[in-house]
Amino acid sequence: MGCCGSSEQKQREWKPLEDRSCTDIPWLIIFALFCIGMACIAGFSISTGAASRLISGYDSYGNTCGQKNSKIEGVELSGRDQTDNKYVFFLDPCNIDILNRKIKSMALCVSRCPDIELKTYTDVKKFALQNGSELCSYDIPVSKYPSHGERSKKCPKLPVNSLPVFHRCTPVDISCYAQFAEAFVTFVSDNSMLHRVIAGVMASKEIIMGLCVLALVLSIILMVVIRYISVVLVWILTALVVLGSIGGTGVLWWLYVDHRTNLTDQTGTSPTPQQQVATDNVQALLVYAIFATVFTVILLLLLFFMRKRVALTITLFHVAGKVFTHLPLLALQPFWTFLSLMLFWVSWLGVLLFLGTAGSPVQSEEAGLVEYRISGPLQYMVWYHAVGLIWISQFILACQQMTVAGAVVTYYFTRNKSELPMTPIVSSMLCLTRYHLGTVAKGSFIITLVEIPRLILTYIHNQLKGKENACARCMLKSCICCLWCLKKCLMYLNQNAYTATAINSTSFCTSARDAFVILVENALRVATINTVGDFVLFLGKVLIVSCTAFVGVLSLNYQRDYTVWVLPLLIVCLFSWLVAHCFLSVFEIVVDVLFLCFAVDTKHNDGSPGREFYMDKSLMVRGREARLNGRGVGGPGAQLSTLECLV
């Protein structure tokens, strides 16, 4: 019985790129229906007037500013013509519960925001008479502003001064927002500090842009450097790790002997608390030294027995550099993925904001103000929308992995590289769109199933911070950590499943099973490649950030006019890390795809006529060297496969 009930045989012959067929069509249909549901939610929020209410704003009586309105049953001041009143004005802007989307302050539609400071109700009256902008409730005549008995509830809180921002009258006094962002106000309340920081960023914007371009160039250069000096780079890092382990172990034993000698010299005297502490320290140093010794011995043994697998990692890095030489458009994949994610996230956030002002008007019992709420089954649209954020984001990322995998697989299993498609990346994208969108949808849904409970538990943990007991806190953190590890393992398996699909055009379950079997058969190689490779790429990211930051310090030091360096440097370091991560993550995907192709190639081919290897010459040379050193030329083991020789 095959995976997920398929009837495919357990032993199946791999036929790279020989046949193409659509995979996981039911999941493509499910994903398409889900996307239609997301579109329906967006259409609902727009059709209910949420878009206009969000953009133009509405008052506390349900009237949308800047347009004519219909009467709301039970609300006396609703249904007003607010065509000339295009701005929302809050009587008490400090009394708005933004987190719960509840209007605690009365809001009015006005024709002009009070852009001058109004200190008395007489000033409010003069402003209304001069500009036609009534800042008190609609049922209070302008002439009675100074003397009306309910002016404290239905007129603005004094003093009044605001500026129009997105059709809202935003108060000028920043301290008004203290209850919402006390930590932020603590920083920005010092206007001189805020002005210096902003001035520093604006004055150094050319340097920031130049350093961002430098990070981009360094990322490309590093990918080229890794190809040509991968041997030296990996062995230098390995030597540093070994020397560090041996040196650390030696220092621990030296400290143990030194402390033990000092403790022995003090024997014979009456024990003191200081001597007891010294005894505990000696015992702790002994434990640490033994642990470090065991770790160093295991590390040396692993490096000795896995030295050829480290050599395989180096060769794969070298071949990955060749792949980028033949497929330069691979370097543009992070840009397309980032652009797609940004477009989706912006549209998703817009629909979420629309949902916040959609629904039917409801008059609150506390203050009698009108709010728009979604009631009944429609309130679950927000949850549906949240699931869509995770699933579609994972789908976009999976499309990048599948596109890269398809291009690398085409490169690897094409014997004559001159016969490659003119644009393998475009061909891979077309193949993905034509045959394998269902596979990508299924793989991304599996990640979504793990991500949703992890996010829920993280939210619960943050909400209960300081309230739950130590046991509950430990259990929550353990569950979150386990789900995170499960997500990482599934993402790695998914990536290899996409590679198997790109090779043989099989469904997700079949591809995941085949990839899992290959990975288990090569578990030590997988561990070596992921450990050594990830460490090298991590150091590459650190190198790019460090070089960019160093050049930034020199540039800012050269321009002595910039007094605040912290924020510009933070912006540059963050951007350089993101750029390096995007480029090197694609490089990492290429290495993983090459390894799976190499494992499949060596498992099903032996170099004999009719079963020739597809691999690069550098990999074949390493295999021949292993055969020569292991069994001799022309001996009984001369036909030993490359995979066995690299064990």
Side-chain angles (χ1 to χ4, degrees):
M1 181 67 69
C3 178
C4 297
S6 66
S7 58
E8 295 188 43
Q9 296 180 357
K10 188 174 183 179
Q11 297 295 332
R12 182 180 46 77
E13 184 178 358
W14 290 73
K15 298 181 179 180
L17 307 177
E18 291 187 9
D19 188 22
R20 284 290 165 200
S21 59
C22 295
T23 56
D24 297 297
I25 296 178
W27 278 95
L28 177 59
I29 297 174
I30 292 173
F31 183 73
L33 293 175
F34 182 86
C35 291
I36 292 174
M38 294 283 290
C40 291
I41 291 177
F44 168 80
S45 62
I46 295 175
S47 63
T48 54
S52 60
R53 284 196 291 270
L54 177 66
I55 296 173
S56 301
Y58 62 95
D59 62 15
S60 297
Y61 305 105
N63 301 300
T64 302
C65 299
Q67 67 181 41
K68 294 182 179 180
N69 297 274
S70 302
K71 182 70 175 180
I72 300 176
E73 185 177 356
V75 181
E76 182 179 354
L77 296 177
S78 62
R80 296 173 63 91
D81 184 0
Q82 304 285 13
T83 305
D84 297 329
N85 301 325
K86 300 180 179 180
Y87 300 98
V88 181
F89 174 73
F90 295 99
L91 302 187
D92 186 4
C94 297
N95 196 20
I96 305 173
D97 191 351
I98 298 177
L99 296 178
N100 295 321
R101 295 179 298 168
K102 292 182 178 179
I103 302 175
K104 291 187 176 181
S105 169
M106 179 179 291
L108 303 173
C109 294
V110 298
S111 59
R112 178 180 172 181
C113 294
D115 50 2
I116 58 175
E117 187 175 16
L118 307 178
K119 298 181 179 180
T120 64
Y121 289 111
T122 302
D123 295 337
V124 174
K125 174 183 176 181
K126 291 180 180 179
F127 181 82
L129 294 174
Q130 292 175 359
N131 302 283
S133 185
E134 301 178 4
L135 303 182
C136 291
S137 180
Y138 307 135
D139 57 349
I140 300 180
V142 176
S143 59
K144 295 185 178 180
Y145 280 3
S147 60
H148 198 278
E150 293 183 321
R151 65 178 183 273
S152 59
K153 296 181 180 180
K154 295 187 177 183
C155 286
K157 184 178 180 180
L158 301 176
V160 180
N161 193 1
S162 62
L163 293 174
V165 178
F166 297 114
H167 295 279
R168 272 76 173 175
C169 296
T170 306
V172 175
D173 187 7
I174 193 66
S175 63
C176 176
Y177 308 105
Q179 55 181 314
F180 306 122
E182 293 181 358
F184 179 73
V185 171
T186 301
F187 171 73
V188 301
S189 58
D190 183 3
N191 291 330
S192 59
M193 179 62 184
L194 178 61
H195 291 162
R196 289 200 305 271
V197 170
I198 295 177
V201 173
M202 295 304 296
S204 58
K205 59 182 181 297
E206 294 85 3
I207 293 179
I208 293 176
M209 295 176 63
L211 292 174
C212 292
V213 174
L214 175 64
L216 181 64
V217 174
L218 289 176
S219 300
I220 298 175
I221 293 176
L222 180 62
M223 294 173 67
V224 178
V225 168
I226 289 177
R227 173 188 173 183
Y228 290 103
I229 65 167
S230 55
V231 177
V232 178
L233 183 63
V234 173
W235 284 120
I236 287 177
L237 293 175
T238 304
L240 290 176
V241 172
V242 171
L243 292 176
S245 300
I246 295 175
T249 303
V251 170
L252 286 173
W253 280 113
W254 176 77
L255 290 174
Y256 167 71
V257 173
D258 183 61
H259 282 71
R260 184 180 179 182
T261 302
N262 293 335
L263 185 63
T264 304
D265 294 340
Q266 297 177 5
T267 55
T269 61
S270 58
T272 62
Q274 290 77 9
Q275 290 181 350
Q276 183 62 39
V277 172
T279 303
D280 295 338
N281 290 336
V282 169
Q283 294 177 352
L285 285 172
L286 178 62
V287 173
Y288 295 154
I290 293 174
F291 176 80
T293 303
V294 173
F295 173 80
T296 303
V297 171
I298 294 176
L299 178 63
L300 293 175
L301 291 175
L302 286 175
L303 289 176
F304 177 77
F305 288 107
M306 298 175 66
R307 63 190 185 280
K308 294 179 181 178
R309 296 184 179 89
V310 174
L312 174 61
T313 304
I314 297 171
T315 307
L316 287 174
F317 269 63
H318 179 71
V319 177
K322 289 186 177 181
V323 172
F324 277 91
T325 302
H326 286 84
L327 310 177
L329 290 180
L330 278 176
L332 296 179
Q333 283 303 301
F335 293 105
W336 296 115
T337 304
F338 177 76
L339 180 61
S340 301
L341 285 174
M342 288 302 299
L343 290 175
F344 169 67
W345 289 342
V346 169
S347 61
W348 183 89
L349 182 61
V351 174
L352 180 65
L353 294 175
F354 289 161
L355 288 175
T357 55
S360 304
V362 177
Q363 196 168 15
S364 62
E365 298 179 358
E366 300 177 359
L369 307 180
V370 173
E371 303 172 6
Y372 285 89
R373 299 177 185 173
I374 300 177
S375 58
L378 295 178
Q379 60 185 336
Y380 297 105
M381 290 193 300
V382 178
W383 293 102
Y384 187 98
H385 195 59
V387 173
L389 172 66
I390 302 174
W391 192 1
I392 298 179
S393 297
Q394 292 295 333
F395 178 83
I396 295 173
L397 294 174
C399 284
Q400 171 183 288
Q401 295 176 354
M402 190 72 170
T403 301
V404 174
V408 176
V409 165
T410 302
Y411 170 84
Y412 187 95
F413 288 106
T414 301
R415 298 187 187 278
N416 187 358
K417 305 306 180 187
S418 62
E419 297 179 357
L420 283 170
M422 183 174 297
T423 53
I425 292 292
V426 177
S427 300
S428 178
M429 294 177 64
L430 294 176
C431 182
L432 165 64
T433 307
R434 172 66 177 83
Y435 297 107
H436 305 310
L437 285 179
T439 299
V440 173
K442 187 174 184 178
S444 57
F445 180 75
I446 293 175
I447 302 299
T448 304
L449 288 181
V450 179
E451 186 71 3
I452 290 175
R454 188 182 74 86
L455 294 177
I456 292 175
L457 290 178
T458 304
Y459 174 77
I460 294 174
H461 179 264
N462 292 332
Q463 292 296 314
L464 297 179
K465 188 172 293 184
K467 300 179 182 179
E468 78 280 17
N469 54 37
C471 181
R473 183 168 57 252
C474 181
M475 290 180 62
L476 276 175
K477 289 183 178 179
S478 300
C479 292
I480 294 171
C481 182
C482 291
L483 288 173
W484 182 84
C485 294
L486 178 61
K487 174 191 172 184
K488 291 298 181 182
C489 293
L490 288 176
M491 290 181 69
Y492 183 73
L493 181 60
N494 279 10
Q495 179 181 311
N496 287 277
Y498 300 147
T499 304
T501 298
I503 295 174
N504 242 20
S505 192
T506 50
S507 63
F508 177 83
C509 282
T510 303
S511 300
R513 182 196 63 193
D514 295 339
F516 181 76
V517 171
I518 293 291
L519 294 176
V520 171
E521 291 175 350
N522 301 271
L524 291 178
R525 298 179 186 86
V526 172
T528 305
I529 292 172
N530 284 326
T531 302
V532 178
D534 290 351
F535 184 64
V536 170
L537 295 179
F538 172 76
L539 290 181
K541 297 174 186 178
V542 173
L543 178 64
I544 291 173
V545 174
S546 301
C547 292
T548 307
F550 178 73
V551 175
V553 170
L554 294 181
S555 302
L556 292 172
N557 184 60
Y558 179 74
Q559 300 289 342
R560 296 301 179 91
D561 296 336
Y562 308 142
T563 57
V564 179
W565 293 6
V566 177
L567 193 56
L569 285 178
L570 286 177
I571 294 173
V572 168
C573 290
L574 177 62
F575 184 83
S576 60
W577 175 267
L578 291 176
V579 170
H581 176 73
C582 290
F583 274 89
L584 296 182
S585 63
V586 174
F587 191 91
E588 182 180 1
I589 294 175
V590 172
V591 172
D592 291 336
V593 173
L594 284 174
F595 172 73
L596 190 65
C597 294
F598 171 78
V600 172
D601 191 12
T602 51
K603 182 177 181 180
H604 296 277
N605 298 308
D606 57 9
S608 60
R611 299 181 63 184
E612 295 86 356
F613 291 120
Y614 290 92
M615 67 183 64
D616 187 86
K617 289 183 178 180
S618 58
L619 290 172
M620 296 177 67
V621 169
R622 189 167 298 282
R624 289 168 184 165
E625 290 176 353
R627 286 198 296 273
L628 291 173
N629 295 331
R631 304 202 179 185
V633 181
Q639 296 300 322
L640 186 66
S641 70
T642 305
L643 187 62
E644 294 173 324
C645 292
L646 290 174
V647 173

Short mmCIF file of all heavy atoms in Angstrom, two decimals, residues 620-635 637-640 645:
data_model
loop_
_atom_site.label_atom_id
_atom_site.label_comp_id
_atom_site.label_asym_id
_atom_site.label_seq_id
_atom_site.Cartn_x
_atom_site.Cartn_y
_atom_site.Cartn_z
N MET A 620 32.06 13.18 -9.56
CA MET A 620 32.53 11.93 -10.13
C MET A 620 34.01 11.71 -9.84
O MET A 620 34.44 10.60 -9.53
CB MET A 620 32.28 11.92 -11.64
CG MET A 620 30.81 11.96 -12.03
SD MET A 620 30.54 12.04 -13.81
CE MET A 620 31.15 10.42 -14.29
N VAL A 621 34.80 12.76 -9.90
CA VAL A 621 36.22 12.65 -9.58
C VAL A 621 36.41 12.20 -8.14
O VAL A 621 37.24 11.34 -7.84
CB VAL A 621 36.93 14.00 -9.83
CG1 VAL A 621 38.33 13.99 -9.26
CG2 VAL A 621 36.97 14.28 -11.33
N ARG A 622 35.62 12.76 -7.22
CA ARG A 622 35.73 12.36 -5.82
C ARG A 622 35.36 10.90 -5.64
O ARG A 622 35.98 10.17 -4.87
CB ARG A 622 34.84 13.25 -4.95
CG ARG A 622 35.05 13.04 -3.46
CD ARG A 622 34.39 14.13 -2.67
NE ARG A 622 34.97 15.41 -3.01
CZ ARG A 622 36.14 15.85 -2.56
NH1 ARG A 622 36.85 15.09 -1.75
NH2 ARG A 622 36.58 17.04 -2.91
N GLY A 623 34.36 10.44 -6.37
CA GLY A 623 33.98 9.04 -6.29
C GLY A 623 35.06 8.12 -6.84
O GLY A 623 35.37 7.07 -6.27
N ARG A 624 35.70 8.52 -7.95
CA ARG A 624 36.77 7.70 -8.53
C ARG A 624 37.97 7.64 -7.60
O ARG A 624 38.62 6.59 -7.46
CB ARG A 624 37.17 8.28 -9.88
CG ARG A 624 36.10 8.05 -10.96
CD ARG A 624 36.38 8.88 -12.19
NE ARG A 624 35.31 8.73 -13.17
CZ ARG A 624 35.13 9.54 -14.20
NH1 ARG A 624 35.94 10.58 -14.36
NH2 ARG A 624 34.15 9.34 -15.05
N GLU A 625 38.29 8.77 -6.96
CA GLU A 625 39.40 8.76 -6.01
C GLU A 625 39.12 7.81 -4.86
O GLU A 625 40.02 7.08 -4.41
CB GLU A 625 39.63 10.18 -5.47
CG GLU A 625 40.21 11.14 -6.50
CD GLU A 625 40.34 12.54 -5.95
OE1 GLU A 625 39.84 12.76 -4.82
OE2 GLU A 625 40.92 13.40 -6.64
N ALA A 626 37.87 7.81 -4.39
CA ALA A 626 37.54 6.90 -3.30
C ALA A 626 37.66 5.44 -3.74
O ALA A 626 38.11 4.58 -2.98
CB ALA A 626 36.11 7.18 -2.81
N ARG A 627 37.27 5.14 -4.99
CA ARG A 627 37.37 3.77 -5.48
C ARG A 627 38.83 3.35 -5.61
O ARG A 627 39.22 2.24 -5.28
CB ARG A 627 36.66 3.65 -6.83
CG ARG A 627 35.14 3.66 -6.72
CD ARG A 627 34.51 3.11 -7.97
NE ARG A 627 34.79 3.92 -9.14
CZ ARG A 627 34.07 4.97 -9.51
NH1 ARG A 627 33.04 5.34 -8.78
NH2 ARG A 627 34.36 5.64 -10.60
N LEU A 628 39.68 4.26 -6.13
CA LEU A 628 41.09 3.94 -6.29
C LEU A 628 41.77 3.69 -4.95
O LEU A 628 42.55 2.76 -4.79
CB LEU A 628 41.81 5.07 -7.04
CG LEU A 628 41.43 5.23 -8.52
CD1 LEU A 628 42.07 6.49 -9.08
CD2 LEU A 628 41.88 4.01 -9.33
N ASN A 629 41.46 4.54 -3.96
CA ASN A 629 42.08 4.39 -2.65
C ASN A 629 41.54 3.20 -1.88
O ASN A 629 42.23 2.61 -1.07
CB ASN A 629 41.86 5.67 -1.81
CG ASN A 629 42.57 6.85 -2.42
OD1 ASN A 629 43.60 6.69 -3.08
ND2 ASN A 629 42.04 8.04 -2.20
N GLY A 630 40.28 2.83 -2.17
CA GLY A 630 39.64 1.78 -1.38
C GLY A 630 39.87 0.39 -1.92
O GLY A 630 40.17 -0.53 -1.18
N ARG A 631 39.81 0.14 -3.26
CA ARG A 631 39.85 -1.23 -3.75
C ARG A 631 40.78 -1.43 -4.93
O ARG A 631 40.88 -2.53 -5.45
CB ARG A 631 38.44 -1.68 -4.13
CG ARG A 631 37.47 -1.54 -2.97
CD ARG A 631 36.28 -2.42 -3.14
NE ARG A 631 35.37 -2.28 -2.01
CZ ARG A 631 34.29 -3.01 -1.87
NH1 ARG A 631 33.96 -3.92 -2.75
NH2 ARG A 631 33.50 -2.85 -0.82
N GLY A 632 41.40 -0.38 -5.39
CA GLY A 632 42.34 -0.55 -6.48
C GLY A 632 41.68 -0.50 -7.83
O GLY A 632 40.49 -0.69 -7.98
N VAL A 633 42.48 -0.26 -8.85
CA VAL A 633 41.97 -0.10 -10.19
C VAL A 633 41.75 -1.47 -10.81
O VAL A 633 42.64 -2.32 -10.81
CB VAL A 633 42.94 0.72 -11.05
CG1 VAL A 633 42.39 0.89 -12.45
CG2 VAL A 633 43.20 2.05 -10.40
N GLY A 634 40.58 -1.67 -11.35
CA GLY A 634 40.31 -2.89 -12.06
C GLY A 634 40.05 -4.09 -11.19
O GLY A 634 39.88 -5.20 -11.68
N GLY A 635 40.05 -3.93 -9.84
CA GLY A 635 39.80 -5.05 -8.95
C GLY A 635 38.34 -5.39 -8.87
O GLY A 635 37.50 -4.85 -9.58
N GLY A 637 36.23 -4.63 -6.76
CA GLY A 637 35.37 -3.54 -6.31
C GLY A 637 35.46 -2.31 -7.17
O GLY A 637 35.09 -1.22 -6.74
N ALA A 638 35.93 -2.46 -8.39
CA ALA A 638 36.14 -1.28 -9.23
C ALA A 638 34.84 -0.61 -9.60
O ALA A 638 34.81 0.57 -9.91
CB ALA A 638 36.89 -1.68 -10.49
N GLN A 639 33.73 -1.36 -9.60
CA GLN A 639 32.44 -0.79 -9.97
C GLN A 639 31.66 -0.31 -8.75
O GLN A 639 30.46 -0.13 -8.83
CB GLN A 639 31.62 -1.84 -10.74
CG GLN A 639 32.23 -2.26 -12.06
CD GLN A 639 32.39 -1.10 -13.00
OE1 GLN A 639 31.53 -0.23 -13.07
NE2 GLN A 639 33.48 -1.09 -13.75
N LEU A 640 32.34 -0.16 -7.61
CA LEU A 640 31.66 0.32 -6.41
C LEU A 640 31.04 1.68 -6.67
O LEU A 640 31.65 2.55 -7.28
CB LEU A 640 32.65 0.43 -5.25
CG LEU A 640 32.08 0.79 -3.88
CD1 LEU A 640 31.18 -0.33 -3.38
CD2 LEU A 640 33.20 1.04 -2.89
N CYS A 645 31.44 4.75 -1.85
CA CYS A 645 32.82 5.21 -1.68
C CYS A 645 32.90 6.41 -0.76
O CYS A 645 33.93 6.63 -0.13
CB CYS A 645 33.42 5.57 -3.04
SG CYS A 645 33.68 4.15 -4.12
#
